Amino acid sequence: MSQFAINLIFVGGSFLLYILIALWAKAGSTSDFYVAGGGVHPITNGAAIGADWTSAASFISMAGLIAAGGYANSTFLMGWTGGYVLLAMLLAPYLRKFGKFTVPEFIGDRFYSRNARLVAVLCLIVASVTYVIGQMAGAGVAFSRFLEVDATTGLMIAAVVVFIYAVLGGMKGITYTQVAQYCVLIVAYTIPAIFIAIELTGNPVPMFAMFSEHTQSGLPILEKLNQVITDLGFGSYTADVPNKLNMVLFTLSLMIGTAGLPHVIIRFFTVPKVADARWSAGWALVFIALLYLTAPAVASMARLNLMTTIYPEGTQEQPIEWSEIQEVNENGEPHWIKSWEVTGLITFEDKNNDGRVQYYNDANEDFAEEAASRGWEGNEFSYNRDILVLANPEIASLPGWVIGLIAAGGLAAALSTAAGLLLAISSAISHDLIKGAINPNISDKGELLAARISMAVAIVVATYLGANPPGFAAQVVALAFGIAAASLFPALMMGIFSKRVNNVGAISGMLAGLTFTLVYIFVYKGWLFIPGTNNLPDNADAWVLGISPLSIGAVGALVNFVVAFVVSNATEEPPVEIQELVESVRYPRGAGKAVDH
């Protein structure tokens, strides 16, 4: 059976499962659509959160970024994991105690202002749309390879699948679909990692294999990897980062951005009790840890496998011929390089016409003399970092069924989070904007229709922007986290833990944090992420104090907090009943179901 047929079986079978679940759990009311009826079991909810959390950025892109940047990009792991703990301890139980459908609804009621609710809707939509761009881009990468189509066509297929099960099922359908998707993606992620760990080290546990000896050389895996890449002018995989400020701010931005992302927060509204929200958080952390502990091992082993494909053992001066890695193997199957070249995500330019693949760091001036002595005239090989996890089984020559499995897993990761984000966007538009501000008397049926229409529109916008993302999937997601960190997180924290912050302060803080962060991002990434519209080059030399656009969310959050407290203290105190509400939320003594007000 051909690899294409195997891929179709795995991907098609998983999609059929998701759609059947959506049909089985079809939302019949706004309560079903927004919070799955409020009766989800904590373990079920924990698995759904795990799938919601394990996005394309985590499954597809994070390991690729760690593979490319080594220790410097471990901030993705630290920030996202730490942020989840922050969310579980500081926000989730209190928001569940409040008992509303959406994050903007909490902000509107806590700050006793329709305008505060509308500003929160704006912040939510900006952050969620940015986030979903990364998911759709990741899904396009996966589809383009495993269905052997170009990336744009892959993106369109992903959009259609999300549209079918997310628009139809709402939160109820998405919840049970995400449980199935978690099972698919965690098996898909760990099985190839185990195979490759055994192949490279003999140790079947990936997270331990990363610190084991490389079977061929007898060196520790990380030492061997450092040797291979530094011999070609790349920086050491385990090297420290030169700009500690940027690293700290980036980690902090991911942490507080995580705690402010609405598509995860709304999952805690789907359980019956506050205690269930805490148990959901605990189970979710277990499910998330299974992947996050494996990701660094996948990254290091994928990078080593890639390098030794192009530079067979001990021949760094004489890289492999391009024709050799384009030929079919003894089974008539194309080499993995050839397979991915078709997608346009791997390119080769023979600059010195020797037929061999020179892959090295031609930006390293210290290596320029060595490269010249070898007759190299510039780096000839490039690849999209988002392909490394998906290509890993092929790089390691694993069986076809493993490749099909990881195809299904990568798509499950991208589509599960995309569905959660789209639901957050649609609920903000239908429940907070249309019902909360434009037409309070809209019927339950009309609100449900508005939610589905707004989700469909959001899918179209995300698909369009996903075709031209402002970075790799994980980088785009990091921008979304920065936006959430600067806008929603401070409002949620002040809403729960401060009685003094009033409506004027909260609105001023959210607008100040959001505006500051977006302007800084757009100056370097392009206005509205449109290519070519950036004012300054996106590199460390042009960044203010060396702070990356990916890290600016932490500074934006500080701006939000300062503005909110200054303005609040210069204006009237919140009403007594609002201060009592804050006291009630802070000390949970049980809560009813999430309700519509």
Side-chain angles (χ1 to χ4, degrees):
M1 185 181 295
S2 70
Q3 185 60 56
F4 180 72
I6 294 172
N7 293 343
L8 279 181
I9 291 171
F10 276 88
V11 173
S14 61
F15 283 177
L16 179 61
L17 174 63
Y18 307 151
I19 292 169
L20 288 175
I21 290 173
L23 290 170
W24 167 72
K26 183 178 179 181
S29 66
T30 51
S31 178
D32 284 344
F33 194 88
Y34 295 137
V35 293
V40 179
H41 191 279
I43 296 179
T44 303
N45 199 42
I49 293 170
D52 218 352
W53 186 263
T54 309
S55 63
S58 293
F59 188 100
I60 297 174
S61 191
M62 180 174 65
L65 284 172
I66 296 173
Y71 171 73
N73 280 342
S74 63
T75 46
F76 285 93
L77 282 171
M78 295 185 289
W80 282 336
T81 309
Y84 179 80
V85 176
L86 196 66
L87 169 63
M89 294 180 64
L90 293 184
L91 295 181
Y94 305 109
L95 292 174
R96 176 62 192 88
K97 172 66 169 66
F98 194 78
K100 294 296 180 72
F101 278 167
T102 66
V103 169
E105 192 171 13
F106 166 79
I107 290 175
D109 283 10
R110 160 59 184 88
F111 296 110
Y112 52 97
S113 168
R114 188 177 71 172
N115 288 336
R117 185 173 180 175
L118 293 177
V119 171
V121 169
L122 173 65
C123 297
L124 183 151
I125 290 173
V126 172
S128 297
V129 167
T130 305
Y131 197 161
V132 84
I133 292 170
Q135 306 314 304
M136 300 306 287
V141 169
F143 270 116
S144 64
R145 165 64 189 95
F146 296 113
L147 296 184
E148 299 180 11
V149 296
D150 61 78
T152 302
T153 303
L155 190 61
M156 298 300 178
I157 297 171
V160 171
V161 173
V162 171
F163 178 86
I164 292 172
Y165 77 78
V167 173
L168 180 66
M171 178 60 86
K172 189 175 181 181
I174 287 172
T175 295
Y176 295 104
T177 300
Q178 285 178 334
V179 173
Q181 287 170 325
Y182 178 80
C183 295
V184 171
L185 70 87
I186 197 63
V187 170
Y189 202 84
T190 53
I191 285 181
I194 291 169
F195 269 101
I196 295 169
I198 293 171
E199 183 179 281
L200 291 180
T201 69
N203 190 327
V205 184
M207 56 281 288
F208 297 144
M210 185 173 69
F211 302 101
S212 301
E213 287 188 355
H214 183 230
T215 302
Q216 280 188 304
S217 65
L219 297 172
I221 278 284
L222 293 179
E223 185 179 334
K224 174 62 180 176
L225 179 56
N226 275 337
Q227 181 188 84
V228 170
I229 62 178
T230 54
D231 281 352
L232 294 166
F234 295 102
S236 172
Y237 193 77
T238 55
D240 200 356
V241 294
N243 188 336
K244 290 291 198 305
L245 173 64
N246 187 64
M247 185 177 189
V248 170
L249 289 177
F250 182 55
T251 305
L252 182 60
S253 181
L254 292 179
M255 285 180 65
I256 61 179
T258 294
L261 278 173
H263 78 290
V264 175
I265 291 174
I266 60 174
R267 292 233 54 96
F268 293 101
F269 300 158
T270 65
V271 293
K273 307 190 298 286
V274 172
D276 292 335
R278 293 192 178 98
W279 277 108
S280 293
W283 279 108
L285 195 56
V286 171
F287 293 130
I288 291 165
L290 292 176
L291 186 140
Y292 271 52
L293 289 172
T294 306
V298 170
S300 56
M301 292 186 290
R303 181 79 182 273
L304 182 59
N305 271 333
L306 173 67
M307 300 303 299
T308 53
T309 291
I310 297 172
Y311 295 92
E313 190 70 25
T315 58
Q316 269 76 6
E317 293 82 4
Q318 190 71 358
I320 202 163
E321 290 187 11
W322 180 247
S323 59
E324 189 174 336
I325 53 177
Q326 284 198 309
E327 294 174 354
V328 297
N329 61 22
E330 62 274 10
N331 298 320
E333 298 166 341
H335 190 277
W336 73 270
I337 290 277
K338 180 64 175 177
S339 300
W340 280 94
E341 187 189 12
V342 174
T343 68
L345 300 173
I346 281 181
T347 58
F348 168 65
E349 179 186 0
D350 193 1
K351 295 179 179 179
N352 60 356
N353 297 312
D354 67 348
R356 295 184 177 274
V357 187
Q358 278 86 46
Y359 175 45
Y360 68 101
N361 185 7
D362 56 2
N364 184 348
E365 295 180 0
D366 295 334
F367 190 72
E369 185 177 342
E370 175 66 22
S373 69
R374 300 182 186 181
W376 299 354
E377 298 180 7
N379 179 53
E380 300 175 342
F381 180 80
S382 63
Y383 66 96
N384 185 313
R385 296 173 190 172
D386 287 347
I387 75 169
L388 271 188
V389 169
L390 298 176
N392 222 3
E394 296 171 277
I395 296 173
S397 302
L398 299 183
W401 66 268
V402 179
I403 297 170
L405 182 62
I406 205 165
L411 293 169
L415 299 181
S416 63
T417 303
L421 289 164
L422 292 165
L423 181 67
I425 294 168
S426 71
S427 61
I429 294 171
S430 61
H431 189 68
D432 296 303
L433 183 60
I434 296 176
K435 184 170 185 176
I438 298 173
N439 183 12
N441 298 319
I442 190 173
S443 67
D444 191 71
K445 185 177 179 180
E447 186 182 351
L448 192 58
L449 177 62
R452 285 178 166 142
I453 292 173
S454 58
M455 185 181 283
V457 173
I459 290 172
V460 172
V461 173
T463 303
Y464 172 76
L465 294 173
N468 295 286
F472 300 109
Q475 292 174 321
V476 178
V477 168
L479 293 175
F481 278 67
I483 293 168
S487 57
L488 293 173
F489 174 77
L492 292 171
M493 286 292 292
M494 291 183 290
I496 294 171
F497 294 101
S498 172
K499 298 179 184 179
R500 185 61 184 85
V501 177
N502 61 19
N503 55 350
V504 181
I507 292 171
S508 302
M510 283 190 288
L511 289 175
L514 179 66
T515 302
F516 171 84
T517 303
L518 283 179
V519 168
Y520 192 89
I521 289 172
F522 289 159
V523 163
Y524 295 101
K525 296 289 185 181
W527 292 89
L528 300 177
F529 299 130
I530 298 172
T533 61
N534 56 303
N535 302 98
L536 295 171
D538 187 15
N539 57 53
D541 292 334
W543 298 337
V544 177
L545 299 178
I547 301 173
S548 160
L550 303 181
S551 310
I552 199 63
V555 182
L558 179 62
V559 170
N560 188 331
F561 276 116
V562 170
V563 170
F565 277 113
V566 169
V567 172
S568 293
N569 282 284
T571 50
E572 295 183 358
E573 286 189 356
V576 174
E577 61 269 22
I578 296 299
Q579 296 187 45
E580 291 176 349
L581 174 66
V582 174
E583 188 77 11
S584 171
V585 170
R586 284 248 299 278
Y587 299 99
R589 287 182 292 274
K593 291 183 177 180
V595 294
D596 181 10
H597 295 283

